[in-house]
Amino acid sequence: MSVLTARNLRRVYDVGKHQVRALDGVSLDVEEGEFIAVMGPSGSGKSTLLHLLGGLDQPSGGEIELAGEMVSLLSDHDATLLRRRNIGFVFQFYNLLPTLSAQENILLPLIIDGKKTKAYEEKLEDLLVRVGLTNRRNHRPSELSGGEQQRVSLARALITEPKLLLADEPTGNLDSKTGKQVMELLAECAKDLHQTIVMVTHDPKAAAHADRLIFLQDGKIQKEVSFLEGQSISSKARIILDSLESGE
Ligand code: ADP
């Protein structure tokens, strides 16, 4: 089943007299449980694509279908609700509220959506175990390491059981060992929870945890690579490095 479909997505910026085609006709179909990594050089349109998919920016053209709904046919209010209920975000800089504990940060999306947190107690406990933060639940972000903060932000993104998780350089601010742990956690979520993930990264080691890679160049999909199930991370990383070097 398709969770997300993008058809001919375009985003053009007017810069003075010039037009910058940040995204130039990208089409994408993401199946439930798929883990996709979007790669490409700086300026190739990766952030633009993720922002359009997440509704943080509006396309100049094209269509997005999320959880069976054509987003452009909805009112702004309904589109916002659809995204709030179906998309979780993980960013490079965690974006946690400093005055709230880990647990309160995780529960925040429910409060924003007017939901009773009591109904989610079991889900909260499951997520705390999954991200390994049961003993850190009452700590504030400043009392947690970078990796722990990123795990809080992952649990926060998953508490509403979103159909789609969007991740923007989720390991960009972490050392390689901690980054690897966060990537293993994401891959586990895709496998065990059937969580659909679209992640932007420039790091081949991070991308090697995905099932499918999309390479962007000048706002277009230049190449796609699908990995076989059970393929080792190191062999996937080698394929990615070869693709990047050949620049095909
Ligand atoms: P990436 O994430 O791959 O580095 P971006 O999506 O940030 O690429 O940018 C794609 C292109 O769009 C770049 O050429 C960038 O300069 C341009 N761009 C991005 N945001 C803006 C903006 N707000 N105004 C003008 N140009 C922009």
Side-chain angles (χ1 to χ4, degrees), residues 14 33-34 49 51 53 68 94 221:
D14 286 316
E34 238 193 325
L49 174 62
H51 291 167
L53 296 179
Y94 329 130
I221 295 181

Side-chain angles (χ1 to χ4, degrees), residues 11 13-15 20-23 39-49 51 57 168 200 216 219:
R11 178 65 166 104
Y13 289 105
D14 286 316
V15 183
V20 177
R21 292 173 188 275
L23 218 59
M39 299 192 82
S42 178
S44 59
K46 303 182 296 296
S47 308
T48 304
L49 174 62
H51 291 167
D57 186 14
D168 196 357
V200 162
L216 289 183

Side-chain angles (χ1 to χ4, degrees), residues 5-11 23-27 48-49 52-53 59-64 219:
T5 306
R7 273 186 219 102
N8 202 18
L9 266 193
R10 293 189 302 111
R11 178 65 166 104
L23 218 59
D24 196 10
V26 165
S27 297
T48 304
L49 174 62
L52 293 180
L53 296 179
S60 312
E63 291 287 354
I64 296 172

Side-chain angles (χ1 to χ4, degrees), residues 86-106:
N86 289 288
I87 301 181
F89 286 98
V90 178
F91 298 101
Q92 179 172 357
F93 295 107
Y94 329 130
N95 297 56
L96 301 175
L97 287 189
T99 55
L100 300 184
S101 68
Q103 173 166 322
E104 289 164 343
N105 267 290
I106 295 170

